[in-house]
Amino acid sequence: MAVFPGRRTRRQIIDQALKKAGNTKILVEARVELARILEQLYHQYEWPFLYAETSLTLTASTALPADFLKVESPDTGLRGTAIDGAVEDFSILIVQPTEWRRRAVPRAETATRPDIAMIDYGAAVIKPWPVPESTVTALLVYKALPAEVDPAVTATYDADIPRFPFHGFLTDAVEVWALEYEHDPRATVAAVRLREHLSRILGTAIPPDANRASSIELDPGIFSTPAYVHEG
């Protein structure tokens, strides 16, 4: 199923949510909260529309894309596509740092093509081994993290359209937060509806048999029932 981009700006999402909650005076706080909700959604779930591809020329230490969050899969996320311009097709296994160090350090070994690679998140580079002695081109499939938009830069923030096609859900999530902010008893029912809404979205957007799909347990930090609201 195709996933279409959203059309509402952040300000439109927030305004609708605050009107539904009945408090339009917490706009500044709502900007920060929407940014937090999006960050949680991006990190916690394997949305297909966040995955991207890029071509890299592998060296001993190759820079990762600026929006890199994680490789799609250790087995299929990195594939060699050419050696010295000649078309090739071979897999390069992404291994953990301990495995990479065990095999690659301190042996300064080179080869026509690398067998393994390590993601160095601290340096934002990928390190293949053996180090290619030829010009090796590889295709990296990775989860991209959308650029952060600073809530303090209000004009830019308000006009931005989030990279998340389910804007009705974002409106509902901000509404739940606003109700909890006001200790409004409606928050309990609204939080339950929000969890159900997210479950339906995940069932549609992330096929159960998708290789990159992960657990769809909901983040209690955002989608829990407010502890301070009691049903009579």
Side-chain angles (χ1 to χ4, degrees), residues 38 55-56 61 72 86 95 118 140 204 217 228 231-232:
L38 284 164
S55 182
L56 302 175
S61 184
E72 177 201 40
V95 299
M118 176 194 73
L140 177 69
T204 300
E217 294 181 2
Y228 48 76
E231 296 179 299

Side-chain angles (χ1 to χ4, degrees), residues 85-117:
V87 175
E88 295 277 350
D89 183 17
F90 58 94
S91 61
I92 303 171
L93 182 66
I94 303 293
V95 299
Q96 295 296 320
T98 51
E99 173 68 7
W100 188 86
R101 285 191 290 268
R102 183 182 69 80
R103 297 174 61 176
V105 179
R107 298 157 59 187
E109 189 170 324
T110 62
T112 301
R113 63 177 66 179
D115 299 318
I116 63 173

Side-chain angles (χ1 to χ4, degrees), residues 111-180:
T112 301
R113 63 177 66 179
D115 299 318
I116 63 173
M118 176 194 73
I119 304 294
D120 185 337
Y121 286 93
V125 297
I126 186 167
K127 298 180 177 180
W129 187 86
V131 176
E133 58 190 11
S134 306
T135 301
V136 174
T137 305
L139 181 69
L140 177 69
V141 184
Y142 68 101
K143 185 177 182 180
L145 182 64
E148 188 173 331
V149 184
D150 187 353
V153 185
T154 56
T156 301
Y157 184 92
D158 288 350
D160 180 70
I161 296 177
R163 190 175 172 186
F164 190 80
F166 308 103
H167 283 184
F169 173 81
L170 295 178
T171 298
D172 291 347
V174 175
E175 179 192 4
V176 169
W177 165 81
L179 292 172
E180 293 177 358

Side-chain angles (χ1 to χ4, degrees), residues 20-41:
K20 289 172 66 179
N23 182 359
T24 60
K25 298 180 180 180
I26 51 175
L27 175 59
V28 174
E29 295 87 346
R31 288 190 179 105
V32 176
E33 183 60 23
L34 177 56
R36 187 180 77 90
I37 290 169
L38 284 164
E39 182 182 20
Q40 291 281 351
L41 288 167

